[in-house]
Amino acid sequence: VRDSAGRTRTEQEFPPPMISSVVVSPRRTITIYDPVEQVSISLNPVNKTAQIRHLRDPRRVARPPSPRPLPMGPRSLDSLPRPSEAPHTINSTETLGTREIEGLSARGTRNVHTVPAGARGNEQPLVTVSESWYSEELHQVLLSTTNDPESGERTHKLMNIQRGEPDPALFQVPPDYTVQGDKITNP
């Protein structure tokens, strides 16, 4: 959920771990980011607790000057991998055209990243395929999927898209939650 001021509320559900003979419910997280108030809020719906982090406004924080990079001597260059020793990967990008998702037109792109057999001790090539569907109207990715042989399949999809302003209560700590800690951090 996002409002016109840039506040966002993200709810994620993760599948339960595979534990034999023990029923474990999925883990759910809720994160609220409020750039107006400069806070990030993590809600735990199981314990009904909230963790609030106050973010410093980077425009108000004086930053020290960036250090100049140190020149690299000949010994430093010897420690870098030579191009012939670097693992070779193959990347390709394909345009998928447009399709409608949740009533919006979205432009699709497929990226394929291949690690050849033997590059990381793998017997077979490792092929990761990622698709992304972007809405120009919302300036947002509506659907993305990644199929990775090492970490499995992941899907991120915006659902129930409504173009009106969301309820302001979605961006606040619910009244029945307990606030635990209040930190100031740099973004």
Side-chain angles (χ1 to χ4, degrees):
V1 178
R2 182 176 68 196
D3 72 1
S4 60
R7 294 176 186 93
T8 59
R9 177 185 174 112
T10 305
E11 297 188 22
Q12 294 180 301
E13 191 168 291
F14 301 94
M18 300 300 284
I19 301 174
S20 63
S21 73
V22 177
V23 178
V24 180
S25 60
R27 186 172 62 95
R28 186 167 163 235
T29 63
I30 301 170
T31 305
I32 299 169
Y33 173 68
D34 185 342
V36 176
E37 296 297 323
Q38 288 292 306
V39 295
S40 175
I41 304 169
S42 298
L43 300 178
N44 182 330
V46 173
N47 300 337
K48 293 199 177 234
T49 57
Q51 180 79 37
I52 300 175
R53 287 181 299 284
H54 290 273
L55 309 171
R56 290 188 184 145
D57 185 345
R59 295 169 292 188
R60 295 185 193 164
V61 177
R63 296 194 186 270
S66 300
R68 293 186 179 178
L70 298 173
M72 290 181 63
R75 290 180 188 235
S76 298
L77 292 174
D78 290 342
S79 65
L80 298 174
R82 302 200 188 309
S84 61
E85 298 170 348
H88 298 284
T89 58
I90 302 163
N91 295 302
S92 65
T93 301
E94 173 186 359
T95 302
L96 301 174
T98 59
R99 77 181 235 201
E100 190 173 296
I101 299 173
E102 293 283 323
L104 295 161
S105 178
R107 180 177 28 90
T109 306
R110 178 181 295 129
N111 294 305
V112 180
H113 177 79
T114 305
V115 177
R120 281 198 244 155
N122 48 315
E123 291 181 12
Q124 300 292 322
L126 300 174
V127 181
T128 301
V129 179
S130 300
E131 282 189 15
S132 178
W133 294 88
Y134 181 81
S135 165
E136 293 286 344
E137 184 178 344
L138 294 184
H139 304 287
Q140 183 82 32
V141 172
L142 301 180
L143 173 65
S144 66
T145 59
T146 302
N147 194 339
D148 184 331
E150 294 178 304
S151 61
E153 187 171 333
R154 295 181 307 276
T155 301
H156 174 85
K157 182 178 183 182
L158 293 184
M159 297 168 51
N160 300 323
I161 297 171
Q162 299 172 10
R163 298 185 190 201
E165 276 296 302
D167 182 354
L170 290 171
F171 306 103
Q172 300 169 359
V173 175
D176 58 339
Y177 277 53
T178 303
V179 175
Q180 294 181 329
D182 202 353
K183 300 179 187 177
I184 297 178
T185 61
N186 268 333

